[in-house]
């Protein structure tokens, strides 16, 4: 297996643990809300961060106010919500959220994107952990409630999956993302910390 294939298997099979916050990355309309609220309502964390400040309906980027009712319908206590609306792309989300986690003293966060975007988002967040010298555990919990081949209004998940891996290659060359091997080594470190309750 290649490092890329191993990385995909690790992300797809990450195990949820009790964490300090759930990080919901803006995108894919309101489809990621369902997953984030399932996690909140199952008490995997007591804080929800909505990260992203872009309004671009043709790309699936809905501002928080447009989908606020979806959170209300699923019982969110807005006292447990943090809005991070300065970010305009995944790199900025990673920088801002890791800085936020550091200020809050969070040691574990659950990252929620849509399945096709999760890989690039995770590699981007890991790079920021490395650059900011933070020992934060990131758990992957991608939303899987969208079909692969049905048009969503901003492309099919299958088309976007191909595009995401092209972007990974492009942004790795720019130094914005960790390598697949770095992510594998991080997973080893993460599991050792969790196993030893050293987090």
């Amino acid at each position: 297996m290649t490092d890329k294939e191993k990385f995909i298997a690790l992300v797809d099979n990450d195990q949820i643990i009790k964490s300090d916050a759930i990080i919901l990355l803006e995108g894919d309309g309101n489809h990621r809300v369902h997953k984030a609220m399932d996690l909140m309502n199952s008490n995997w964390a007591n804080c929800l961060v909505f990260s992203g400040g872009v309004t671009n309906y043709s790309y699936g980027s809905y501002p928080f106010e447009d989908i606020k009712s979806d959170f209300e319908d699923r019982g969110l206590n807005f006292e447990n919500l943090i809005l991070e609306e300065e970010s305009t792309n995944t790199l900025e989300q990673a920088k801002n959220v890791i800085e936020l986690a550091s200020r809050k003293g969070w040691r574990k966060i659950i990252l929620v994107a849509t399945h096709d975007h999760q890989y690039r988002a995770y590699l981007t967040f890991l790079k920021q952990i490395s650059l900011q010298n933070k020992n934060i555990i990131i758990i992957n919990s991608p939303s899987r409630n969208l079909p692969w081949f049905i048009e969503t209004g901003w492309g099919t998940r299958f088309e976007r999956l191909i595009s995401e891996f092209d972007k990974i290659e492009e942004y790795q060359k720019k130094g914005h993302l960790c390598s697949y091997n770095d992510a594998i080594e991080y997973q080893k470190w993460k599991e050792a910390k969790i196993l030893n309750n050293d987090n």
Side-chain angles (χ1 to χ4, degrees):
M1 294 178 69
T2 65
D3 283 348
K4 177 180 176 180
E5 291 168 332
K6 294 173 185 175
F7 165 76
I8 291 171
L10 292 175
V11 172
D12 288 353
N13 295 282
D14 223 353
Q15 293 186 334
I16 301 296
I17 60 171
K18 183 77 172 178
S19 298
D20 299 300
I22 295 160
I23 312 302
L24 173 57
L25 301 184
E26 178 190 27
D28 283 299
N30 65 350
H31 292 283
R32 302 176 186 181
V33 174
H34 306 170
K35 179 66 176 201
M37 286 307 302
D38 284 348
L39 292 167
M40 282 289 287
N41 290 331
S42 297
N43 297 313
W44 289 111
N46 296 321
C47 179
L48 175 66
V49 177
F50 180 91
S51 177
V54 176
T55 301
N56 185 343
Y57 298 110
S58 64
Y59 194 66
S61 296
Y62 293 8
F64 176 78
E65 286 302 319
D66 281 17
I67 56 177
K68 182 178 179 180
S69 61
D70 291 289
F71 290 100
E72 291 175 330
D73 291 344
R74 287 166 177 77
L76 178 64
N77 180 347
F78 285 93
E79 292 182 357
N80 298 328
L81 173 71
I82 296 176
L83 291 180
E84 186 290 293
E85 297 179 294
E86 296 181 1
S87 300
T88 60
N89 56 51
T90 307
L91 178 58
E92 290 178 3
Q93 288 174 315
K95 288 179 179 178
N96 292 340
V97 168
I98 296 304
E99 288 172 0
L100 173 65
S102 181
R103 292 196 304 271
K104 294 285 188 179
W106 294 340
R107 307 307 303 161
K108 300 182 289 293
I109 59 176
I110 301 173
L111 186 62
V112 177
T114 315
H115 204 178
D116 47 280
H117 180 53
Q118 189 81 27
Y119 308 111
R120 178 164 64 91
Y122 186 46
L123 290 172
T124 308
F125 272 69
L126 292 187
K127 184 66 174 184
Q128 285 304 307
I129 285 176
S130 173
L131 291 174
Q132 296 185 36
N133 196 28
K134 305 299 180 186
N135 291 328
I136 298 172
I137 291 173
I138 299 178
I139 304 297
N140 290 288
S141 188
S143 171
R144 296 182 169 92
N145 64 336
L146 278 171
W148 281 105
F149 294 98
I150 302 300
E151 175 59 49
T152 60
W154 46 88
T156 69
R157 279 182 65 197
F158 190 75
E159 292 168 339
R160 287 183 288 128
L161 178 66
I162 296 169
S163 173
E164 286 290 332
F165 279 104
D166 289 341
K167 289 179 181 178
I168 286 174
E169 185 175 334
E170 175 187 352
Y171 295 147
Q172 281 177 334
K173 291 177 182 177
K174 293 181 178 180
H176 297 174
L177 279 68
C178 280
S179 69
Y180 296 123
N181 185 65
D182 288 338
I184 293 168
E185 292 303 313
Y186 172 83
Q187 188 76 17
K188 294 177 184 177
W189 169 84
K190 178 172 76 174
E191 291 189 0
K193 295 276 283 187
I194 294 170
L195 183 64
N196 294 321
N197 293 315
D198 182 22
N199 50 72

